[in-house]
Amino acid sequence: MSLLARFRLEQAARHNRHEGTPPRSRSRSPSPACSHASGLYFPSSPNSPHAPDSPGYPPAQSRRQECSASSENLEAECQLKRKKRFVVDPCRENQLDDDAMDQFAALDVPQMLIVLNGKLLALECERICDEALTFIHSRGFKGILNDRLRTCLLSPNLSKYVDGLPEHLWGFIKRNPGVFKLPAKALEDPELSIIVDSLIKEVLTSQRSQIKIKLASSVNKQQHISQLARALAQKDFIDVTTGQWARIAFLRQNFLLFMKLVTESTARRMRSSNLEPEQDDDDRDSLDSGNNNRAAARHGREERFWIDSQFWEFIDTLLDELRSELEGHPPELRTKEWEKNFTEVLQSDLQMFPASDRTSCLRASDGHNIVDWQRSLHQELVWL
């Protein structure tokens, strides 16, 4: 048999076998319907890709979630390590420890922004405090204090010159911070407020001392009230009214009385010392007290020993006595009598210290051109 005949015979045999064999099912596992129909059930292998979820094994979705979470945690750890490496250079540039910003690096972006905003606000607040402190200690603010407080002490309506003045001045400054050009932070910060309060008391003491020196100088030079007022005001923009003339005349006339009382007190001390030369200080004080009591009994009023540093206390005592005398009067009459007392003192001062040359005298201001801050000081620093 030839090879070709053998090849054709084999082909025919294969064809016959193929047509006589029933078709095979595409599925390797019987369908549920066939299984139930035959009464048999063959469970699929757990490793089969078509096997249903079994209670003994986690669902495919859960396995994917666990895998995703693990991947995210790994990524977060890697990112945290990178951020901690990045913060090392800024720490070294600012002379900090390498791990000084580790806690900040562990935050997420929104938390970082919130923390940064808080730090910026704190730095801004600190900057404002530093600027306020620098201004308070500057020569410019000291000059403003000198001008304002001098005007305050020359006010025709000031209730007292020592007792209660710093407290009422502080209250005025809080109501009118612009008058003293004071930053708002200086009023809010307790430490800055203490510094400002100390400066006010220091400047008040200095201004009172200067006024007293100029009062004494005006007496020696026999200056007219206008010349004394201008010397006390110092600044051209501070207007001096007739009411201020009257208050300044009150200060000068009572300065003369005060110096007389100081001389008398010194003389009484000397007499007391001559009477008991061997007594110690305590005995002298007792003797002085006894002399005062006897003098009070004789004159019906209290007498005291005055010393040169008590001038402003003496002025406050006089003002209190003037107010006490007018307590029983109606308000309108009390105001009228109060002004009358100062007018009489001004007339007495003009007679005692007349103008040597009319051309050298300055006229009092009518008060129409007074600046607002000066008017505020004159009107609001009245508490009695």
Side-chain angles (χ1 to χ4, degrees):
M1 181 182 296
S2 65
L3 293 177
L4 178 60
R6 181 67 181 266
F7 171 75
R8 288 175 178 173
L9 181 63
E10 290 291 331
Q11 290 291 323
R14 289 196 189 102
H15 179 70
N16 291 333
R17 286 198 301 269
H18 178 72
E19 289 181 350
T21 303
R24 305 173 75 179
S25 175
R26 294 184 180 179
S27 175
R28 295 185 179 179
S29 59
S31 64
C34 296
S35 299
H36 290 295
S38 61
L40 298 174
Y41 176 73
F42 299 94
S44 302
S45 172
N47 297 326
S48 174
H50 300 284
D53 293 339
S54 171
Y57 296 91
Q61 184 177 2
S62 299
R63 289 198 298 272
R64 286 196 298 270
Q65 289 177 350
E66 288 182 358
C67 182
S68 176
S70 176
S71 177
E72 290 177 359
N73 292 337
L74 182 60
E75 177 64 23
E77 291 178 2
C78 294
Q79 186 177 6
L80 178 59
K81 290 180 180 180
R82 286 196 301 269
K83 290 193 293 185
K84 287 184 177 182
R85 287 199 305 270
F86 293 155
V87 299
V88 171
D89 290 339
C91 288
R92 292 176 179 176
E93 291 175 2
N94 293 278
Q95 298 180 354
L96 302 173
D97 294 337
D98 290 352
D99 58 349
M101 295 179 64
D102 284 355
Q103 186 176 2
F104 179 77
L107 303 176
D108 56 16
V109 174
Q111 290 175 325
M112 286 182 175
L113 293 176
I114 293 172
V115 172
L116 284 175
N117 187 54
K119 293 295 183 182
L120 290 175
L121 291 176
L123 289 174
E124 179 67 12
C125 182
E126 185 178 351
R127 182 189 65 80
I128 294 174
C129 283
D130 291 341
E131 289 182 353
L133 181 62
T134 301
F135 176 74
I136 289 171
H137 287 298
S138 66
R139 295 179 60 183
F141 181 66
K142 193 71 174 290
I144 293 172
L145 272 185
N146 281 319
D147 290 340
R148 292 344 185 227
L149 296 183
R150 185 188 309 112
T151 304
C152 163
L153 292 173
L154 297 178
S155 169
N157 306 315
L158 190 62
S159 296
K160 284 192 174 185
Y161 289 86
V162 179
D163 188 21
L165 180 57
E167 292 78 10
H168 286 86
L169 259 175
W170 188 240
F172 173 85
I173 291 174
K174 288 182 177 179
R175 296 191 301 271
N176 308 276
V179 172
F180 286 77
K181 311 296 183 184
L182 198 62
K185 194 64 180 179
L187 301 176
E188 300 170 359
D189 190 272
E191 295 181 1
L192 295 180
S193 298
I194 292 174
I195 295 174
V196 174
D197 184 64
S198 299
L199 286 174
I200 289 174
K201 293 176 180 178
E202 177 185 340
V203 174
L204 279 175
T205 301
S206 175
Q207 289 295 328
R208 284 192 293 256
S209 177
Q210 292 181 24
I211 291 175
K212 183 182 174 185
I213 291 173
K214 290 180 179 180
L215 290 174
S217 176
S218 70
V219 171
N220 295 332
K221 295 179 180 180
Q222 296 291 303
Q223 288 181 334
H224 186 259
I225 187 65
S226 64
Q227 296 172 322
L228 172 59
R230 181 52 58 187
L232 291 174
Q234 296 185 10
K235 298 290 184 179
D236 293 335
F237 59 82
I238 298 179
D239 287 336
V240 181
T241 63
T242 305
Q244 286 174 286
W245 275 21
R247 181 58 73 100
I248 293 171
F250 174 82
L251 294 177
R252 179 157 66 174
Q253 291 295 312
N254 284 291
F255 173 77
L256 296 173
L257 174 60
F258 174 74
M259 296 309 297
K260 183 178 180 180
L261 292 177
V262 170
T263 301
E264 292 176 359
S265 297
T266 303
R268 290 204 307 273
R269 287 181 183 276
M270 293 297 295
R271 286 197 298 271
S272 300
S273 299
N274 290 334
L275 288 175
E276 299 290 341
E278 296 181 357
Q279 289 179 328
D280 56 16
D281 293 339
D282 293 337
D283 293 336
R284 287 196 189 100
D285 292 340
S286 299
L287 182 59
D288 290 343
S289 177
N291 290 338
N292 281 339
N293 293 334
R294 287 192 295 272
R298 288 196 305 269
H299 300 288
R301 60 184 179 84
E302 182 182 0
E303 292 186 2
R304 58 176 289 182
F305 290 102
W306 294 98
I307 58 177
D308 186 67
S309 61
Q310 294 174 332
F311 171 66
W312 295 104
E313 181 183 350
F314 171 75
I315 294 295
D316 282 353
T317 303
L318 277 177
L319 292 173
D320 285 338
E321 291 181 1
L322 282 175
R323 278 186 284 266
S324 298
E325 286 182 354
L326 301 175
E327 278 184 355
H329 296 75
E332 294 182 359
L333 181 59
R334 185 163 60 244
T335 302
K336 184 177 180 180
E337 289 296 323
W338 179 269
E339 294 176 352
K340 180 182 177 182
N341 285 327
F342 286 95
T343 301
E344 291 175 351
V345 172
L346 176 59
Q347 292 173 350
S348 176
D349 189 87
L350 290 172
Q351 293 176 359
M352 184 177 295
F353 301 98
S356 58
D357 183 5
R358 288 183 177 273
T359 59
S360 63
C361 297
L362 300 174
R363 301 180 64 178
S365 170
D366 56 7
H368 295 308
N369 297 324
I370 292 181
V371 293
D372 292 340
W373 63 263
Q374 184 178 351
R375 194 185 305 278
S376 298
L377 283 170
H378 290 179
Q379 293 176 352
E380 296 188 32
L381 285 177
V382 181
W383 63 91
L384 293 174

